[in-house]
Amino acid sequence: MTTTGEDTTAAQTGPWWWSRWRSAVLDVGLASASAVECAFEGVRFAEDAGIPTAAGIVFGVLAGSVLVVRRKWPIAVVLVSIAITPAQMGYLMGIVGLYTLAASELPRRIIGSLAGMSLVGMLIVMFVRVRQDMAHGELDLGDWFVPFASITTAIGMTAPPLLLGLYVGARRRLMESLRERADDLERELQLLAERAEERAEWARGEERTRIARE
């Protein structure tokens, strides 16, 4: 039978906006890993920006922790990851955020716009970073390597989570549609069975009436 609103509410046993404790633990774990990653990357950001190292670490921890709300506000997570891309941090948050966004029920134009912004931001940051590494002598390759590395890295960081999220979202919607059709079919069969039972009962009553008259 179809699950009612009361049944759905009763099935939600997780804290806050999570439907299950397992989902909450997963998101907290991802947010913790993202916070640690951004904290380490915040050290380099602090050196480049000329601010205290502690400030860069705190900034990284706060930014990376936003991943904990990815199921409730996926747009906010992706926007934060795009905003901190120039600081060369939040790679895990960007990947997970894009996946969650693509798998959500949001309109395709919003998903496409944010994915495009993430791709362009990653492309620009990687282009600048590779050029700086080559200028410092850390990489000794031809000029072709800068656009090649930038494009491949940006696509590699954006396309896989986006495509995977779209696939998972489409598969989830298909399963929900099949489940609803199965529930509808079950209700129809139950209704037909009830009508058949009523007709059989009516036929038996008519038969008893006819025998009584005879």
Side-chain angles (χ1 to χ4, degrees), residues 51-52 89 96 98-99 131 133 155 172 175 193 201 209:
I51 61 176
M89 63 173 62
V96 178
L98 276 178
Y99 164 79
R131 288 200 64 176
D133 292 340
I155 294 176
R172 182 186 301 132
M175 296 300 295
E201 184 65 27
T209 303

Side-chain angles (χ1 to χ4, degrees), residues 29-161:
L30 289 173
S32 300
S34 177
V36 172
E37 175 205 348
C38 292
F40 279 104
E41 293 164 345
V43 176
R44 179 176 178 176
F45 168 71
E47 294 176 355
D48 296 339
I51 61 176
T53 304
I57 295 175
V58 171
F59 173 75
V61 170
L62 293 177
S65 301
V66 175
L67 192 59
V68 75
V69 297
R70 69 183 185 96
R71 297 178 192 267
K72 189 172 182 61
W73 297 302
I75 295 179
V77 173
V78 175
L79 288 176
V80 171
S81 68
I82 294 173
I84 64 176
T85 297
Q88 299 180 9
M89 63 173 62
Y91 298 108
L92 176 61
M93 180 168 60
I95 293 174
V96 178
L98 276 178
Y99 164 79
T100 307
L101 178 71
S104 67
E105 302 295 333
L106 292 171
R108 289 289 181 264
R109 64 179 183 276
I110 296 178
I111 297 175
S113 300
L114 291 176
M117 293 170 57
S118 179
L119 176 65
V120 172
M122 183 63 64
L123 180 63
I124 295 174
V125 169
M126 291 306 302
F127 185 85
V128 173
R129 183 172 182 176
V130 174
R131 288 200 64 176
Q132 289 177 348
D133 292 340
M134 293 186 67
H136 295 159
E138 298 179 11
L139 296 174
D140 189 11
L141 299 170
D143 294 337
W144 62 270
F145 183 74
V146 177
F148 173 77
S150 303
I151 294 173
T152 53
T153 303
I155 294 176
M157 296 285 289
T158 305

